[in-house]
Amino acid sequence: MEVTTRTPSTRELVVLSSMIFGMFFGSGNLIFPVHLGQLAGSHWFSASLGFAISGALFPLLAILAVVVTNSDGLYDLARPVGKKFAALFLVLVHLTIGPFFGTPRTAATAFEIGLKPFLPSHYFGIGMLLFTALFFGLAYFLTLHQNKLVAYIGKYLNTIFLALLAVVFLIAFLKPMGNLDHQPTNAYLTHDLTNGILQGYNTVDAVALLALSVTFVRAVKAMGFKKNTAAVTAKAGTLSVLLEVVLYFGLVLVGAMSLSRFPLSDNGGVALSQLIRYYLSTFGGVFLGVLVTLGVFTTAMGLLVSFAQDFHKLFPKFSYKSWLRLTAITSFVIANAGLDNIIQWSLPVLMLLYPLSLALILLSLTHNYFNKQSFVYQVTMVFTVVPAVLDMLANSPKVVASQPVVASLLQLYHGYVPFAALGLGWVLPTLIGFTCGVIYVKAVPRVVLDSK
């Protein structure tokens, strides 16, 4: 296709935004806000605002980080820290977000909500096997041709998902369950904004967006926007995140209203199920299954493609299709072979990767201020990795976290480092490392400038 700097049409921009949205908006983005609404009650608005800050602003910053650095994916973004770090970071992110956790969970979630309620208990095993085989087989088939991803996700699958979600909102607001005058839970009486931020933080979407960046950047280029890739990506990404913010506020609001009919649920999955079954009666189970399956299926497609694209770039000896086949098969096996254990061990890795990802986003967005010098990247990462490792240990299985040495370290960490008890102990050290690095390179111009 001819290289062009033409401005994308409204239709092209909407389709690209729909593709980006479809790849990162999964089941967690759907059910977390509903439960947040129930927890926050009458304080739903400030809780929604907090959720939007961490659940939407962070992903937007991840997109902009890729844009302002003109990166072609996660490896390019992390390379100023060092080639070995970039390769290791890419592998850890993709294995965790991809076949070792994120991708298998998409199929497992779809089965749990979409099919399992309709099966006798003695068919759960074979049902899961057949469902996940179909799920990943279809996802593999639809992602074989990378240039069709925009159409499959942006034009069709995500459009259907949004249409179904619009039906839920339409019914819920035309026939509200009740008022919003419900007592917040204790945690949301005085810290509604803070707890909303923490709930959005748990979506880990910033890491996912970094992993998916290679896919949407290449999709933009494939549409012919090779000279203005950054600008088009920024516009489409911003539009997708703005839509996400609107949906978050709507879901939190619906969750808060549901307290007029239902008690506080154990989790967002239960809350969403109760809500849809209330409005759609017996048909609600089928509707919910289709809605959630569509939501996680587009995410699975994005994760499969981004894994294959980034690994092919890092290890070009193996083709894109080979890596795609590997991640699809691995995801299928893990989804059927004890996903609970994988989740238990993946959470600590995510707690390690999230602070490193946000530090990398900060560095990428400000790299022009310090001429993209590797020294600033490296110092910031050193200051970030220590609390990130401690957060990883704090969220490790009990067999690790209860070790005397680990328990003592965590007690000191949570007791003396600001926000550590909330899982945000990395914030202050990261800012200190970044500030020290910038001051040093400004004061000592002899620092090596070459970060390439």
Side-chain angles (χ1 to χ4, degrees), residues 308-309 311-312 315-325:
Q309 289 175 332
F311 270 72
H312 174 56
F315 306 104
K317 182 178 179 180
F318 301 97
S319 68
Y320 164 80
K321 290 184 179 180
S322 297
W323 287 116
L324 184 67
R325 193 176 302 117

Side-chain angles (χ1 to χ4, degrees), residues 69-80 86 90 310 313 372:
T69 55
N70 290 309
S71 298
D72 191 35
L74 187 54
Y75 180 82
D76 290 345
L77 199 69
R79 190 174 177 180
L90 182 148
D310 262 340
K313 181 179 179 179
K372 205 176 183 180

